[in-house]
Amino acid sequence: MSELIRLVYASRAAFAPAPVQQGVEPSVGRILMQSRKNNTEANIGGVLYFGDGYFFQALEGDRVAVNRTYQRITADSRHSEVTILSLKTVPKRLFADWSMKYVPAEEAVRQFIRARSYQRFEPLKFQEEEAEALVALFQQQGDVGGQVQKTGFGPLWLRRLFG
């Protein structure tokens, strides 16, 4: 691996979210499954959150692989207004055990945005420090009793829906 980076971006969903069945919007579920396959092959990790019609994602890995993945995302018709919020070299991954962690942390995110005087989840308005703080919050959401969950598939409802 050459240079380890973390790229954090936000985008607006270019589709009207469908009613959620079993905890995840269907288009987001398909994105997650494809991301996990692609990211495993490219040795990329990260976290994805979807709320209020917006994607918020952190990608970690080799600079070339992350840039290639980001370019694929910008060309994906399910995303619009794709915007980099943070891009930095990092000494280690926060999501090393996740090809793509999905965080259904609705209440934690609501508290996060209220504490910053936002009315709703609008990550395209985030400053870099807000994006990094949300990434840190999502990393904490993966901790269970001080142990990081090491399953790549996340919650049981996601395994049942797409397993």
Side-chain angles (χ1 to χ4, degrees):
M1 186 180 295
S2 60
E3 183 180 25
L4 183 63
I5 66 166
R6 180 177 309 115
L7 183 151
V8 180
Y9 79 89
S11 66
R12 184 184 305 270
F15 56 87
V20 173
Q21 307 286 326
Q22 301 184 8
V24 68
E25 198 282 337
S27 294
V28 175
R30 287 188 289 280
I31 289 170
L32 278 168
M33 294 307 290
Q34 189 62 49
S35 294
R36 288 177 177 149
K37 178 185 177 298
N38 293 343
N39 292 353
T40 298
E41 292 171 3
N43 195 26
I44 294 174
V47 63
L48 173 68
Y49 178 80
F50 180 77
D52 293 334
Y54 291 93
F55 291 97
F56 178 90
Q57 184 171 31
L59 298 168
E60 299 175 325
D62 175 75
R63 179 178 291 279
V64 172
V66 169
N67 285 339
R68 194 173 299 131
T69 298
Y70 179 73
Q71 291 305 314
R72 192 170 50 246
I73 291 165
T74 62
D76 188 324
S77 63
R78 296 170 292 191
H79 295 269
S80 68
E81 301 178 57
V82 184
T83 304
I84 294 175
L85 302 175
S86 175
L87 175 60
K88 58 176 64 173
T89 303
V90 294
K92 66 177 187 167
R93 292 182 182 192
L94 293 176
F95 305 97
D97 296 322
W98 296 86
S99 60
M100 185 48 55
K101 176 182 177 180
Y102 180 72
V103 182
E106 294 296 327
E107 186 51 37
V109 171
R110 298 288 170 222
Q111 290 176 10
F112 179 88
I113 62 174
R114 278 193 303 267
R116 287 159 179 81
S117 300
Y118 289 104
Q119 300 301 309
R120 58 186 291 239
F121 184 67
E122 295 180 279
L124 291 173
K125 294 181 178 180
F126 287 0
Q127 299 299 312
E128 181 177 14
E129 56 276 358
E130 293 170 314
E132 290 293 328
L134 189 55
V135 168
L137 175 69
F138 290 156
Q139 193 269 332
Q140 293 169 1
Q141 293 291 311
D143 290 346
V144 178
Q147 301 278 331
V148 174
Q149 292 176 336
K150 296 197 183 221
T151 71
F153 281 91
L156 181 59
W157 56 261
L158 191 58
R159 289 193 301 257
R160 285 185 181 148
L161 186 60
F162 298 102

